[in-house]
Each structure stands twice: as structure tokens, then as C-alpha cells.
């Protein structure tokens, strides 16, 4: 099988690698997925869940473009929640609790059913080059496999080092060895690397917990799903999670191990995720807090194993156990395995272009935690985009780039390559300046047609999108053109303590009131009749409600996005000499030279670049 030259080789079988391999193969590339253990493809190394704040939008975007994460998440879900429902739709974020084993099994099955995708189990220790271009990989047993492009998705495995108290040992995650050799191979080509750290909590035996002392957290009464396709259905039954809390006694017990903690004794030098700190870091940084929330999450439908979300730690095992026993409901807890921290190599992502191709080596792409991100969703998004662009690269086609106003994926990649990151990067809605446009409910409308044009999203996807768009326009036009009489509106307006109307008014105007929802409008017979006659789905009705209620915000963001796109149109030549511009500050010359932005818009987002610097560039470029 190694006599051929593959179009794309994907190194690593985590979330980034799985999506990269699926995307490249589904677009027609002869693809090879090489990973250290084929039994662990798409493992949920940390918590058994997908989605959440902004992350849920990313999964919807991946699905809209024809990626697999949304389908796999739906098929392996044991609970569904739409978070932030009390806020505006820009903040709504779907999240599922997953069956860990079923998730990995479903991913494996979908990949095995993907044509043009081969598999090989081996550690990749070296890269093969042809001048300044990649041409293949070398394994630990000396096998050389040639390819037109290579995508590296190494996760936490590059020189991975696991810490539990004063003990440490090499490993990519619990029970698996680290990947050795690739960092040195890349550094020899001029790449700069760094170290990051992440962690995970203990897993425990659910039979040893007293759930009656905890707060039950059931799923949504009417659960939704991630995928826009008809391949999945909403859950008909769900498993509950539970909430409990730490206490002063728990914190005091944890502090007894601080002198043996790698976080505090200097054993860990690297930076961990700011927004998912370890429990020892939380009680150290927030000493005024008497308690912290703990989420007790089942690992699947038919397992007694539970994940203790909020109790990530690298303290000695005896301290972890003694402290956890003092948490309410955990008095008789039994461990499956302790929590641990892991340090690993990453490569600052300013060394990449927007396509995720490296600037130093043509045809070499990075995706996932190798770029300094944290989270399955961020990794999967990068993997899909790297797989797409690896395919387009060897075909000689232009790269596929998503802008900041087009997708959270665009925000993620632009943040990474323009600003870089010195701590594990996590996506939030606040990072997206156009989040009212980038909602979870309209990812298919934004992205499916674009993905179809490059050969990834199916024709069936586009057909469904066109139908959704037509039906949304039909219902929205009905509300805007049809009048509602006082006797039709005032009963529900009165019930909602909203001012009555004194004469007929357009339905859209009444509907735009903040406390009037779809249920009030469909209580009007002619509305219900119109929806029934045209068989309009709940999805279409929700889309119309959002477009009517948030029309002003949406239009404002569209205008701002148009301004951004005008700056995106001002290209900066690849060989532009910033040092020749005397009016630029020394800092601007240094940062612009390092990042090498391709447009004025990207240049304006680089940290330390001032409006006056942009003005200088615009003048020089003839604007």
C-alpha cells in the first residue's frame, strides 16, 4: 500500500485528525490516517461532552459543511441542553453529554465507511522534505510513506509528560505513550515550539456516590440536535447529570498537598488553560470563595463510570482521594483513576497562514492542540479546514478561507494566526464581533452552499438549505404583509402584560415585541392555518422569530461586516517591505514583519498595531 504517493497523510487520530481525514477523503483525495493506536480514534480524552458556549456553534458549522462531528455527537448523545436560552439567540449554545465509548465507536465506523481513506497504526517520528515542500513521513520502524501534503494533528502527544503529584512519566494521555521525534524534526526546519499544559479530573465509581444529596440536572424537555441532516434524530430518553459543591473543608484538605503539587513546586513550567483551571489553581487564585461547583457527569448509557467536571487536578493521588471524600455525596467515593496534568509541545500558530498551511514548508498543515488550542470542538474545526485545504493545495486550487463575519471557525483561525496564543486557546461568543450573524440556528444557511461548491457538503444538504431559505422567506413575508386585528392580538398581549393595540397592525410589528413568542403568534387561527397549509417546520418558525425580533441588530452587524470586507479587499503583497516605511513605529514594523498579514483587515487586528499604522499602510498601498 505504500508504493503509491498519497494525496494527503493525516498524522494523529484525535478530533482534528478524524475530521481532517474525513474532509480530504470525501473531497476525493487518496488519504492515509496514521495514528499510534487505531483503537483510540476520536477518543474523548477529557470530559464526555460536545458543544457548549460558542463550541456548540462550531459543531453546527462543522456539520453544515459536511463534517462528521455533529452527526457523531447526535448518535452518541445521552443528554441535550440548549444553554443560555434566557439570553438572546446569539448566545444560545447547544451541548450534549456523550457516551464516551459509543462516540469513539461511531467515529471509527463512519471513517471506515469513507471511501479513499486508508489507515495505518504506527508512531510518526520524522518528516520527508523536497526542498521547501513536504513529501512524506517516516515512522518509528523506518517506513517511509510519501505524500503530496501532510496534516499534523498530534494533540497532547508531542513529548507529552504526565504529572500526578511528585511523580511524572512520559505519555500522551493515560495509558498511552508520548510521541517522540516530530518536534525535533520541525525545529530542525526552523519552526519555533513551546510547551503547554492541560489536565483532567478523577473518574469514579457511580455506585459509590449518593446522588440524593446532589442537585439533579436533567436534559431539555424538548431536546434538539446538532446535525441539520436527516441522519440523526433528537433524543427520546436522557440521562441526568448532577451538581454538588466543594467546601472549606475540601479546600483545606487540598492545601495539604500543595507542597507536593507540580503546579506549585516548579515541576510544571508551562501555561495551562485560563478558563478551565485545576481545582488547586482555583482555590489558590480565588481564596475568598468558600465553594466551587462540581458537575457529576455519567460517561455513557451503560457504565457506572462518572467524570467529575470541575475537579481537574494533578495533586498526589492520596490528597485527591481525601479531598473528594469531603465533597457532599462523595463520602464513600471509589476511584477508577486519579486526575493528572499533562505537558506537551505546541507550535505558536503565527507560523501558519489562514489555510493552516505552514509558512516555512509548503504542503504541511497543522491542526488542533499543536496550534495551542484546547477543546474537541476547536480541534475538529481546524482539522476539517486543514483537510479541505490540503486537498485544494495538491489540486492546485485556491485555499478555502472563512472570514470572521462568516463563521466562528473563521474567528478561531484568524485569532490564532494573527494574534497567536501563549495559553491554551478556547472559543467564546465574546471573541466573535459578529456573533448575532453567527448563530447556531443558521450555520447551514451560512456555510452549506459554500462547502458544496468546493466538493464537501452534499447536494442533498444544499437542497435542504434552499428549502429552509424559501420557507423562511415565505413565513417572514406573511408576518410582514398580514395585518392582525385588536380582537386577535389583545387577548395574548394582555396575558403577557404588553400594551394592547387599538387598531389593526402588521403581525411582524406585534411579533417584534420582546415578550411575544411563537406560541402567542400561532394561537392566532390564520397564522396556525398558514403554517399548517405550508407544512412549515419548527426550525423555520424559530428562524423567522429570530429574524423579526433581532432585525435591527442583524442589520447593524451586516453593515459592520461590509466595512470589514472592504478592508479585506485591500491586499498586502507577500514581499511588502515594512522597514521601508519611516512613518511606521518600530513595534509595527516588527509585528507586521513577523505575522506577514495578507490584508489590511488582518493587519488591523494584530496586537499593538495602531490606527495610525493602518493609515500609513493605506496611503502606501494607494488608498
Amino acid at each position: 500500500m505504500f508504493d503509491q504517493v498519497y494525496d494527503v497523510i493525516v498524522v494523529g487520530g484525535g478530533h482534528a485528525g478524524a475530521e481532517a481525514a474525513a474532509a480530504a477523503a470525501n473531497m476525493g483525495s487518496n488519504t492515509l490516517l496514521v495514528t499510534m493506536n487505531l483503537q483510540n480514534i476520536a477518543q474523548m480524552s477529557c470530559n464526555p461532552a460536545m458543544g457548549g458556549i460558542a463550541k456548540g456553534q462550531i459543531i453546527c458549522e462543522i456539520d453544515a459543511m459536511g463534517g462528521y462531528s455533529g452527526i457523531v455527537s447526535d448518535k452518541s448523545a445521552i443528554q441535550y441542553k440548549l444553554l443560555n436560552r434566557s439570553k438572546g439567540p446569539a448566545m444560545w449554545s447547544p451541548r450534549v453529554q456523550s457516551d464516551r465509548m459509543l462516540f469513539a465507536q461511531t467515529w471509527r465506523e463512519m471513517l471506515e465507511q469513507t471511501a479513499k481513506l486508508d489507515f495505518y497504526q504506527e508512531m510518526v517520528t520524522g518528516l520527508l522534505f523536497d526542498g521547501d515542500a513536504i513529501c512524506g513521513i517516516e515512522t518509528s520502524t523506518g517506513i517511509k510513506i510519501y505524500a503530496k501534503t501532510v496534516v499534523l494533528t498530534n494533540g497532547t502527544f508531542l513529548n507529552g509528560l504526565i504529572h500526578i503529584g511528585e511523580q511524572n512519566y512520559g505519555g500522551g494521555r493515560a495509558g498511552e505513550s508520548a510521541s517522540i521525534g516530530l518536534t525535533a524534526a520541525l525545529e530542525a526546519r526552523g519552526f519555533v515550539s513551546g510547551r503547554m499544559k492541560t489536565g483532567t479530573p478523577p473518574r469514579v465509581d457511580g455506585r459509590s456516590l449518593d446522588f440524593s444529596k446532589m442537585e439533579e440536572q436533567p436534559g431539555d424537555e424538548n431536546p434538539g440536535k446538532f446535525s441539520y441532516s436527516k441522519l440523526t434524530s433528537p433524543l427520546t430518553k436522557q440521562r441526568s447529570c448532577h451538581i454538588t459543591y466543594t467546601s472549606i473543608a475540601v479546600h483545606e484538605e487540598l492545601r495539604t498537598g500543595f507542597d507536593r503539587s507540580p503546579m506549585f513546586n516548579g515541576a510544571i513550567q508551562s501555561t495551562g488553560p485560563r478558563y478551565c483551571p485545576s481545582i488547586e489553581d482555583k482555590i489558590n487564585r480565588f481564596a475568598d470563595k468558600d465553594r466551587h461547583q462540581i458537575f457529576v457527569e455519567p460517561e455513557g448509557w451503560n457504565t457506572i463510570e462518572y467524570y467529575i467536571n470541575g475537579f481537574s487536578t494533578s495533586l498526589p493521588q492520596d490528597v485527591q482521594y481525601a479531598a473528594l471524600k469531603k465533597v457532599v455525596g462523595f463520602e464513600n467515593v471509589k476511584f477508577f483513576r486519579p486526575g493528572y496534568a499533562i505537558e506537551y509541545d505546541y507550535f505558536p500558530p503565527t507560523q501558519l497562514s489562514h489555510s493552516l498551511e505552514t509558512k516555512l514548508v509548503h504542503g504541511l498543515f497543522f491542526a488542533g492542540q499543536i496550534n495551542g488550542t484546547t477543546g474537541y470542538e476547536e480541534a475538529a474545526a481546524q482539522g476539517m479546514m486543514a483537510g479541505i485545504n490540503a486537498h485544494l493545495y495538491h489540486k492546485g486550487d485556491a485555499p478555502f478561507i472563512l472570514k470572521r463575519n462568516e463563521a466562528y471557525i473563521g474567528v478561531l483561525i484568524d485569532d490564532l494566526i494573527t494574534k497567536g496564543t501563549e495559553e491554551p486557546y478556547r472559543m467564546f461568543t465574546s471573541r466573535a464581533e459578529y456573533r448575532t450573524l453567527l448563530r447556531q440556528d443558521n450555520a447551514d444557511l451560512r456555510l452549506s452552499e459554500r462547502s458544496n461548491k468546493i466538493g464537501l457538503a452534499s447536494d442533498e444538504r444544499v437542497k435542504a438549505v434552499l428549502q429552509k431559505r424559501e420557507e423562511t422567506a415565505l413565513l417572514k413575508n406573511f408576518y410582514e404583509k398580514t395585518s392582525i386585528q385588536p380582537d386577535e392580538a389583545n387577548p395574548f398581549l394582555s396575558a403577557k402584560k404588553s400594551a394592547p393595540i387599538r387598531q389593526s397592525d402588521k403581525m411582524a410589528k406585534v411579533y417584534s415585541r420582546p415578550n411575544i413568542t411563537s406560541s402567542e403568534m400561532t394561537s392566532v387561527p390564520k397564522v396556525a392555518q398558514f403554517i399548517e397549509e405550508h407544512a412549515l417546520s419548527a426550525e423555520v418558525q424559530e428562524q423567522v422569530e429570530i429574524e423579526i425580533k433581532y432585525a435591527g441588530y442583524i442589520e447593524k452587524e451586516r453593515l459592520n461586516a461590509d466595512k470589514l470586507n472592504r478592508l479585506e479587499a485591500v491586499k498586502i503583497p507577500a514581499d511588502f517591505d515594512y522597514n521601508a516605511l519611516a512613518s511606521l513605529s518600530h513595534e509595527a514594523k516588527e509585528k507586521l514583519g513577523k505575522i506577514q498579514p495578507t490584508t489590511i483587515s488582518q493587519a488591523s487586528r494584530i496586537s499593538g498595531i495602531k490606527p495610525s499604522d493602518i493609515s500609513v499602510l493605506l496611503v502606501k498601498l494607494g488608498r
Side-chain angles (χ1 to χ4, degrees):
M1 71 189 261
F2 299 140
D3 290 341
Q4 68 170 305
V5 176
Y6 281 96
D7 295 324
V8 179
I9 290 178
V10 177
V11 179
H15 298 261
E19 284 288 5
N26 282 326
M27 292 177 75
S29 286
N30 291 317
T31 306
L32 175 67
L33 175 60
V34 186
T35 184
M36 292 165 63
N37 189 342
L38 286 171
Q39 304 308 313
N40 292 332
I41 285 178
Q43 279 292 309
M44 300 181 117
S45 305
C46 202
N47 65 319
M50 292 292 281
I53 307 301
K55 293 167 175 280
Q57 284 88 329
I58 289 176
I59 297 297
C60 290
E61 290 176 352
I62 292 171
D63 180 77
M65 292 179 63
Y68 287 173
S69 288
I71 294 170
V72 174
S73 297
D74 286 343
K75 287 187 173 183
S76 59
I78 64 175
Q79 187 194 86
Y80 177 93
K81 272 182 175 289
L82 186 61
L83 308 180
N84 283 340
R85 197 63 201 246
S86 62
K87 300 180 181 179
M91 304 296 287
W92 297 351
S93 300
R95 181 185 188 271
V96 297
Q97 198 70 29
S98 302
D99 183 310
R100 184 190 298 276
M101 290 184 284
L102 182 58
F103 183 92
Q105 177 188 332
T106 306
W107 250 116
R108 171 78 179 253
E109 290 171 353
M110 291 189 71
L111 288 173
E112 288 185 355
Q113 293 162 16
T114 301
K116 292 184 174 290
L117 179 57
D118 292 341
F119 303 87
Y120 191 61
Q121 179 171 297
E122 180 83 75
M123 182 190 294
V124 175
T125 54
L127 300 171
L128 305 177
F129 303 96
D130 181 9
D132 61 355
I134 197 78
C135 67
I137 61 170
E138 185 170 3
T139 72
S140 59
T141 57
I143 294 174
K144 294 180 179 180
I145 312 174
Y146 293 91
K148 299 170 185 175
T149 62
V150 172
V151 181
L152 296 183
T153 69
N154 302 88
T156 59
F157 283 76
L158 290 179
N159 293 325
L161 184 66
I162 291 174
H163 296 267
I164 304 176
E166 295 173 298
Q167 300 177 328
N168 61 68
Y169 56 92
R173 61 181 163 222
E176 296 183 64
S177 61
S179 175
I180 309 298
L182 273 181
T183 297
L186 290 166
E187 288 176 339
R189 297 291 301 194
F191 286 92
V192 176
S193 71
R195 294 284 277 178
M196 280 190 175
K197 168 252 173 193
T198 189
T200 192
R203 271 57 157 195
V204 306
D205 187 335
R207 297 172 301 181
S208 66
L209 305 180
D210 186 347
F211 293 104
S212 68
K213 297 180 178 179
M214 306 180 199
E215 302 170 19
E216 185 178 7
Q217 293 288 301
D220 286 353
E221 188 174 341
N222 297 303
K225 64 191 188 83
F226 279 118
S227 183
Y228 298 96
S229 73
K230 295 179 181 178
L231 296 174
T232 65
S233 303
L235 289 168
T236 56
K237 62 174 183 175
Q238 302 186 69
R239 285 201 69 178
S240 290
C241 297
H242 289 79
I243 289 178
T244 185
Y245 299 88
T246 62
S247 63
I248 293 175
V250 174
H251 299 176
E252 289 175 348
E253 191 68 52
L254 289 167
R255 287 191 180 96
T256 65
F258 276 15
D259 60 329
R260 293 185 286 152
S261 166
M263 287 285 295
F264 302 126
N265 66 14
I268 292 179
Q269 298 282 327
S270 49
T271 306
R274 177 190 302 264
Y275 304 104
C276 189
S278 65
I279 187 65
E280 58 264 38
D281 195 24
K282 278 193 280 192
I283 66 173
N284 187 53
R285 286 166 51 191
F286 307 108
D288 58 317
K289 300 285 186 182
D290 291 338
R291 67 177 193 171
H292 294 284
Q293 204 168 49
I294 302 293
F295 292 90
V296 186
E297 301 176 344
E299 295 258 338
W301 287 114
N302 304 306
T303 180
I304 57 172
E305 188 173 357
Y306 275 76
Y307 177 91
I308 312 307
N309 195 343
F311 207 86
S312 176
T313 181
S314 58
L315 285 165
Q317 183 169 340
D318 60 311
V319 177
Q320 294 184 33
Y321 183 66
L324 203 52
K325 281 178 68 70
K326 294 187 176 181
V327 173
V328 173
F330 281 72
E331 293 83 0
N332 299 304
V333 66
K334 293 180 180 179
F335 272 22
F336 269 31
R337 62 180 169 92
Y340 62 87
I342 180 167
E343 291 185 286
Y344 55 93
D345 293 340
Y346 85 105
F347 289 81
T350 51
Q351 300 170 96
L352 306 175
S353 66
H354 273 95
S355 67
L356 297 180
E357 182 186 11
T358 66
K359 294 174 182 176
L360 286 174
V361 178
H362 298 308
L364 178 62
F365 296 78
F366 290 173
Q369 284 175 286
I370 192 173
N371 290 336
T373 59
T374 182
Y376 309 143
E377 302 83 1
E378 291 88 344
Q382 293 171 72
M384 181 184 65
M385 296 301 289
I388 288 171
N389 283 314
H391 168 84
L392 295 174
Y393 173 88
H394 80 77
K395 288 290 186 182
D397 296 332
F400 181 75
I401 309 296
L402 291 173
K403 299 174 185 174
R404 296 183 72 90
N405 65 303
E406 292 176 325
Y408 271 93
I409 296 172
V411 176
L412 165 67
I413 294 174
D414 185 66
D415 276 357
L416 290 174
I417 71 158
T418 301
K419 302 174 183 176
T421 186
E422 295 179 354
E423 60 184 46
Y425 177 100
R426 178 179 178 178
M427 178 54 70
F428 289 100
T429 51
S430 58
R431 294 191 190 274
E433 57 269 55
Y434 305 107
R435 54 187 172 273
T436 306
L437 301 179
L438 309 182
R439 306 183 309 274
Q440 49 85 28
D441 60 271
N442 70 355
D444 55 340
L445 298 173
R446 291 185 277 121
L447 299 173
S448 291
E449 289 173 278
R450 286 200 60 192
S451 181
N452 176 259
K453 288 177 181 177
I454 60 169
L456 183 54
S458 66
D459 292 341
E460 289 77 14
R461 292 264 186 173
V462 173
K463 184 179 178 181
V465 165
L466 294 176
Q467 181 180 348
K468 178 178 176 180
R469 185 173 287 129
E470 289 170 4
E471 291 179 350
T472 298
L474 180 69
L475 182 56
K476 186 179 179 185
N477 184 67
F478 171 79
Y479 280 122
E480 290 174 340
K481 301 297 184 184
T482 307
S483 296
I484 188 169
Q485 304 301 319
D487 63 325
E488 295 175 305
N490 287 340
F492 65 77
L493 291 177
S494 175
K496 283 296 187 91
K497 298 181 180 179
S498 188
I501 59 173
R502 302 190 182 281
Q503 57 189 26
S504 67
D505 208 343
K506 296 301 181 188
M507 284 193 168
K509 188 174 180 181
V510 173
Y511 202 176
S512 65
R513 296 188 185 190
N515 57 344
I516 303 304
T517 66
S518 177
S519 60
E520 279 77 49
M521 298 308 296
T522 53
S523 69
V524 178
K526 59 188 174 188
V527 175
Q529 182 181 352
F530 185 87
I531 289 172
E532 184 178 354
E533 282 179 0
H534 295 88
L536 301 177
S537 66
E539 184 183 16
V540 167
Q541 294 176 58
E542 180 184 68
Q543 192 72 206
V544 171
E545 181 174 3
I546 291 169
E547 289 193 7
I548 288 176
K549 286 186 174 298
Y550 296 90
Y553 298 101
I554 292 170
E555 182 59 24
K556 184 177 179 180
E557 284 199 0
R558 282 196 179 123
L559 291 173
N560 288 336
D562 288 342
K563 293 177 184 177
L564 170 77
N565 288 334
R566 286 197 290 273
L567 288 179
E568 288 285 359
V570 185
K571 305 295 183 183
I572 301 176
D575 58 352
F576 193 87
D577 185 6
Y578 297 101
N579 290 320
L581 299 181
S583 301
L584 281 181
S585 66
H586 177 73
E587 181 184 12
K589 291 176 182 177
E590 180 183 339
K591 290 187 173 179
L592 290 166
K594 177 183 177 183
I595 304 297
Q596 296 178 326
T598 56
T599 68
I600 286 292
S601 179
Q602 185 190 356
S604 70
R605 294 190 293 274
I606 297 173
S607 176
I609 301 302
K610 300 183 286 293
S612 58
D613 297 322
I614 299 301
S615 296
V616 171
L617 291 176
L618 285 170
V619 170
K620 179 64 178 177
L621 292 168
R623 293 288 291 225

